Amino acid sequence: MGFHSRKFGALLGFLTFSSLLWSGFCSRAHVPRNVLHSRATAEDETLPAYKDSSLCINDRVEDLLGRMTLEEKAGQMFHAMLYVGPNGTLDQGDDTRNSTDFVMGTQLLTHFNLVGDITDAKETATFYNRIQQRAAETRLGIPVTLSSDPRHHFTENIGTGFDAGRFSQWPETLGLAALRDASLVKKFAEIAREEYLAVGIRAALHPQVDLSTEPRWARISGTFGEDATLTAELLTAYIQGFQGDKLGPYSVTTVTKHFPGGGPMENGEDSHFVYGKNETYPGNNLQYHLIPFKAAIAAGARQMMPYYSRPIGTEFEPVGFSFNKEIVTDLLRDELGFEGIVVTDWGLITDTTIRGQYMPARAWGVENLSELDRAARILDAGCDQFGGETRPELIVQLVNEGVIDEARLDVSVRRLLREKFVLGLFDNPYVDAAAAARVVGNDYFVRLGSEAQRRAYTLLTNGNDTLPLRSVGADTKFYIEGFNATFLENRNLTVVSKPEDADYALLRLAAPYEPRPGGFESSFHAGSLEFSAEERERQDAIYKAVPTIVDMMLDRPAAVPEVAEGAVAMLASFGSSSEAFLDVVFGVYEPEGKLPYDLPRSDAAAEAGMEDVPFDTRDPVFKFGHGLRYKDRCADGTEGNGLVAQGVRR
Ligand SMILES: *[C@@H]1O[C@H](CO)[C@@H](O)[C@H](O)[C@H]1NC(C)=O
Ligand SMILES: *[C@@H]1O[C@H](CO)[C@@H](O)[C@H](O)[C@H]1NC(C)=O
Ligand SMILES: *[C@@H]1O[C@H](CO)[C@@H](O)[C@H](O)[C@H]1NC(C)=O
Ligand SMILES: *[C@@H]1O[C@H](CO)[C@@H](O)[C@H](O)[C@H]1NC(C)=O
Ligand SMILES: *[C@@H]1O[C@H](CO)[C@@H](O)[C@H](O)[C@H]1NC(C)=O
Ligand SMILES: *[C@@H]1O[C@H](CO)[C@@H](O)[C@H](O)[C@H]1NC(C)=O
Ligand SMILES: *[C@@H]1O[C@H](CO)[C@@H](O)[C@H](O)[C@H]1NC(C)=O
């Protein structure tokens, strides 16, 4: 039978790339199953059925599953961090982690999230190809699926996200929410997809669709804000942008998180940490937090991640969501009808060290279980994959001891393999490293991201229509904080060192938070939403000395009525460069944002609000949707153009 010659296989591989096969063309209709099997046996040496791209995905999955050892199945069920070694080599490991070669070759993992900045797309793409080459050398040659936390948002706070590095830089999702523009969100996601694809990232560990109903929570900046309906609308565009209309070889699959909504954190603490285990529902409002997840499922979300937290004061057992069968199986799968992959949040089984800080396993409510029993609970709850862990030996032991049926593993491994096939990874996992350098961070992508940073600015106050500053020149003196004087000097503007000597003060301020100790914990901006008395006094002196324009990076809804009162104008931003800030100040761009949440009046007001209830902060300083516009400068009704303002050119 010449039908399955190597050449024909290769030709089909090429056709797959042209995505012809994904429109439904495959040979299932023509080749009965039993024939497939006999041929696979006969041609084992040349082309096993699972590698034959002319066959239907379900048949390829079953063929592969049938060949896998218990150890190979267990390896699929782990999704671990992947470090890049020197010069893009495979990481050799250290005291805290095994080498990549060991994790791939011995522990047989094929799902990894890339950690560390991407500073050179070509290098990253080359590294990615090297990883796939290593995967090809394993017994079955199962390709790697590479995932990533968000990398496209301008942020100075790494920890739960990454510096944008060489990718185009956009505001945080909060900024996209401020623009209320689903088509922009889709464009963002399509561009992020192209940049991911170029370096081999095929799974997005996002969107984060938690609702910011508790303003003190440290992870609000990665959400779409407080409103379930707006979040649902935007996440739909987001998922469609990354995945496309239908998941295929040009898609990035998405992991929607954190089921069933990580927003209602007790006292606003976070469940990465022992003191923040509890998700709480004093307003009996869990249903509100499910709205985004229902929208995600309707939009074709492929994967879900439950949060670390345990539900307190509900009908559900108070154990972490991934250990919780009532949450994962009864609610997510049976009630909401989710059929995709459930991957746990990182590190539920094994104690570890993150950036020098000891972190116990986030086994909330089941702390006393052994590592083995934790793994069994997670499987029993209905999860498919263990995030941030490399413990396949536990799964092997559970099956060997008869605690877990191998058939239970098959249910999850089938889902996981299927995703790889649909993404086209079995047909061609490699990327073109030279092309990556052209795609990633190209001028067009960068410009759209830069524009979004500027447009997402949200104008909270504008006394006497001070903004934009149009009549400024070399003799106008600025007192500045929070950014580099070079940015003004490059615009031929003068910077002075004392507020009293200035015509205007420009302050870029971080929203208030309480610094926490620890290498990892310190990146979480938690606690009080108010500035200290000393800091208020310090700022007040500036406000009294000179008309002051404040730009506050609202990674959380700050409680700063005194800034709104004291500054002549106040802007909110959601991840933006200093150049973006100045372009808005000088009217090159107009701020178009609207607040994606209420701004509470005080810590007391935040505390009085219920964690799970939106828009219940009493007497907010500004409400959801607040956002002023610049006064139209042109009396004849035509639009102004800030570019011509005196002294301000780009
Ligand atoms: C990385 O590459 C540089 C430049 O080619 C070389 O000098 C250096 O020794 C390399 N480092 C490693 C660890 O291979
Ligand atoms: C490496 O893997 C082995 C086998 O799973 C494990 O016992 C060991 O703790 C791992 N080493 C590190 C540093 O994680
Ligand atoms: C969580 O809720 C439980 C039950 O109400 C309570 O005992 C515990 O102190 C709360 N906080 C933490 C961090 O567990
Ligand atoms: C875990 O064990 C400790 C010590 O035996 C005990 O005090 C604690 O109540 C147990 N916790 C749970 C959640 O069962
Ligand atoms: C607006 O201008 C008037 C007159 O110059 C001044 O008295 C007032 O303080 C200004 N208001 C603000 C908010 O700066
Ligand atoms: C400001 O920018 C200049 C030019 O880019 C740089 O040399 C200088 O180190 C920066 N200063 C600070 C405080 O970041
Ligand atoms: C700043 O002034 C210099 C010298 O007059 C001029 O060459 C340059 O174009 C000016 N830059 C801007 C941004 O106006």
Side-chain angles (χ1 to χ4, degrees):
M1 262 195 351
F3 182 76
H4 268 282
S5 69
R6 261 175 210 281
K7 203 171 163 192
F8 191 69
L11 175 64
L12 278 171
F14 175 76
L15 283 180
T16 305
F17 230 147
S18 71
S19 72
L20 214 168
L21 289 175
W22 305 97
S23 52
F25 167 76
C26 80
S27 63
R28 176 179 217 156
H30 314 292
V31 188
R33 235 184 122 81
N34 56 342
V35 177
L36 281 183
H37 275 270
S38 59
R39 192 175 55 227
T41 319
E43 299 196 2
D44 249 357
E45 299 309 307
T46 53
L47 190 67
Y50 73 93
K51 290 192 173 173
D52 181 345
S53 57
S54 72
L55 303 183
C56 292
I57 284 177
N58 283 346
D59 294 329
R60 297 176 75 184
V61 169
E62 293 309 317
D63 176 74
L64 177 54
L65 196 62
R67 296 167 191 266
M68 289 170 79
T69 64
L70 177 56
E71 287 74 12
E72 283 162 341
K73 291 177 185 176
Q76 294 304 315
M77 300 180 74
F78 288 81
H79 190 147
M81 295 193 272
L82 183 68
Y83 294 79
V84 185
N87 292 351
T89 55
L90 266 54
D91 174 51
Q92 300 290 308
D94 61 16
D95 296 350
T96 65
R97 60 179 189 262
N98 279 305
S99 71
T100 298
D101 193 69
F102 179 81
V103 175
M104 293 184 71
T106 304
Q107 298 187 308
L108 305 172
L109 268 65
T110 71
H111 295 84
F112 296 100
N113 71 305
L114 184 67
V115 296
D117 292 342
I118 292 178
T119 50
D120 184 322
K122 189 174 175 186
E123 261 175 33
T124 301
T126 306
F127 167 73
Y128 167 80
N129 285 340
R130 211 163 271 152
I131 290 289
Q132 293 294 14
Q133 193 57 54
R134 179 65 188 84
E137 290 161 10
T138 58
R139 189 179 76 92
L140 295 168
I142 299 174
V144 160
T145 311
L146 192 63
S147 70
S148 176
D149 274 320
R151 291 175 180 275
H152 281 90
H153 305 288
F154 188 94
T155 174
E156 277 149 303
N157 176 28
I158 56 165
T160 49
F162 291 97
D163 269 332
R166 302 284 287 191
F167 287 159
S168 58
Q169 301 192 14
W170 298 69
E172 297 281 1
T173 44
L174 274 180
L176 298 176
L179 286 169
R180 307 287 200 272
D181 181 352
S183 67
L184 179 72
V185 171
K186 185 156 185 196
K187 191 164 245 175
F188 156 75
E190 284 171 344
I191 287 171
R193 156 158 65 144
E194 289 306 317
E195 292 185 313
Y196 271 4
L197 277 174
V199 298
I201 295 170
R202 301 304 304 279
L205 299 174
H206 42 101
Q208 191 195 336
V209 306
D210 309 309
L211 301 174
S212 68
T213 52
E214 163 51 61
R216 291 167 293 180
W217 188 35
R219 299 194 65 185
I220 287 174
S221 71
T223 73
F224 293 103
E226 190 165 0
D227 187 71
T229 310
L230 178 65
T231 298
E233 184 196 348
L234 299 184
L235 76 85
T236 298
Y238 190 104
I239 289 172
Q240 286 169 351
F242 275 100
Q243 294 189 170
D245 291 341
K246 189 166 180 282
L247 203 76
Y250 298 103
S251 295
V252 167
T253 184
T254 57
V255 179
T256 300
K257 65 193 186 185
H258 304 84
F259 193 78
M265 290 303 318
E266 187 174 65
N267 302 319
E269 295 299 352
D270 184 66
S271 49
H272 276 87
F273 308 106
V274 175
Y275 53 73
K277 297 175 187 179
N278 294 348
E279 207 75 57
T280 181
Y281 304 90
N284 196 24
N285 208 26
L286 172 66
Q287 285 300 324
Y288 188 73
H289 295 266
L290 293 181
I291 290 171
F293 293 95
K294 292 177 182 170
I297 293 168
R302 303 285 304 189
Q303 308 197 25
M304 289 273 176
M305 180 186 289
Y307 205 33
Y308 292 120
S309 322
R310 58 172 176 172
I312 291 295
T314 70
E315 64 194 279
F316 301 108
E317 194 183 355
V319 298
F321 290 128
S322 284
F323 296 95
N324 207 315
K325 189 171 195 165
E326 293 163 336
I327 294 289
V328 176
T329 295
D330 299 350
L331 179 58
L332 177 58
R333 291 208 193 278
D334 294 347
E335 197 178 320
L336 302 188
F338 180 66
E339 292 175 349
I341 293 163
V342 178
V343 51
T344 77
D345 211 328
W346 266 221
L348 300 189
I349 301 175
T350 316
D351 294 357
T352 188
T353 299
I354 306 179
R355 283 193 223 126
Q357 178 173 6
Y358 170 71
M359 292 286 291
R362 273 71 80 199
W364 306 145
V366 294
E367 294 88 342
N368 289 2
L369 291 184
S370 67
E371 292 175 333
L372 190 68
D373 291 341
R374 288 173 191 168
R377 281 277 318 230
I378 290 168
L379 289 179
D380 191 49
C383 298
D384 299 303
Q385 197 175 50
F386 301 84
E389 296 277 355
T390 50
R391 305 296 302 278
E393 76 278 6
L394 295 176
I395 307 305
V396 172
Q397 188 181 343
L398 286 169
V399 174
N400 285 339
E401 289 177 0
V403 180
I404 299 278
D405 255 5
E406 191 165 344
R408 167 66 190 84
L409 304 195
D410 289 350
V411 171
S412 292
V413 174
R414 222 175 243 124
R415 288 190 184 113
L416 292 161
L417 291 175
R418 189 179 162 74
E419 198 81 340
K420 287 180 189 285
F421 279 108
V422 176
L423 289 171
L425 288 166
F426 277 92
D427 304 317
N428 182 0
Y430 299 104
V431 297
D432 177 342
R438 293 193 298 273
V439 171
V440 170
N442 72 63
D443 290 351
Y444 176 60
F445 293 175
V446 168
R447 177 166 62 74
L448 291 182
S450 303
E451 268 189 356
Q453 287 180 33
R454 286 152 174 79
R455 293 178 52 215
Y457 262 89
T458 301
L459 183 62
L460 300 178
T461 67
N462 194 12
N464 289 348
D465 288 310
T466 300
L467 288 179
L469 297 181
R470 297 197 201 271
S471 307
V472 295
D475 53 346
T476 316
K477 298 184 186 66
F478 292 91
Y479 170 78
I480 68 167
E481 284 182 10
F483 65 103
N484 194 325
T486 325
F487 293 116
L488 279 175
E489 286 157 3
N490 287 345
R491 295 177 188 231
N492 288 347
L493 297 169
T494 306
V495 176
V496 297
S497 59
K498 290 202 217 101
E500 309 81 69
D501 298 338
D503 298 300
Y504 297 102
L506 302 179
L507 312 185
R508 298 200 79 197
L509 302 176
Y513 63 94
E514 285 171 30
R516 295 273 164 94
F520 182 57
E521 201 172 342
S522 61
S523 65
F524 286 72
H525 291 181
S528 172
L529 297 166
E530 297 180 5
F531 284 121
S532 67
E534 298 89 302
E535 175 59 16
R536 286 179 194 222
E537 206 173 304
R538 194 190 75 80
Q539 287 178 24
D540 193 52
I542 301 171
Y543 302 149
K544 291 206 165 101
V546 57
T548 303
I549 292 146
V550 168
D551 169 15
M552 192 171 291
M553 163 57 190
L554 285 186
D555 61 339
R556 296 190 301 163
V560 290
E562 77 283 1
V563 178
E565 194 68 26
V568 64
M570 182 177 182
L571 290 155
S573 57
F574 306 97
S576 61
S577 66
S578 297
E579 292 290 16
F581 166 57
L582 294 177
D583 276 356
V584 169
V585 166
F586 295 121
V588 179
Y589 278 83
E590 298 203 23
E592 295 177 41
K594 295 176 180 182
L595 277 180
Y597 40 51
D598 286 354
L599 290 193
R601 190 153 292 277
S602 62
D603 282 339
E607 205 170 323
M610 288 186 274
E611 282 90 338
D612 58 333
V613 176
F615 310 120
D616 72 335
T617 188
R618 109 180 90 78
D619 189 23
V621 179
F622 297 107
K623 285 203 68 67
F624 173 86
H626 176 75
L628 306 173
R629 292 290 174 270
Y630 285 164
K631 193 174 174 184
D632 196 347
R633 190 166 54 89
C634 305
D636 62 0
T638 59
E639 292 202 6
N641 183 343
L643 281 165
V644 301
Q646 184 193 341
V648 183
R649 277 174 297 275
R650 283 167 56 72

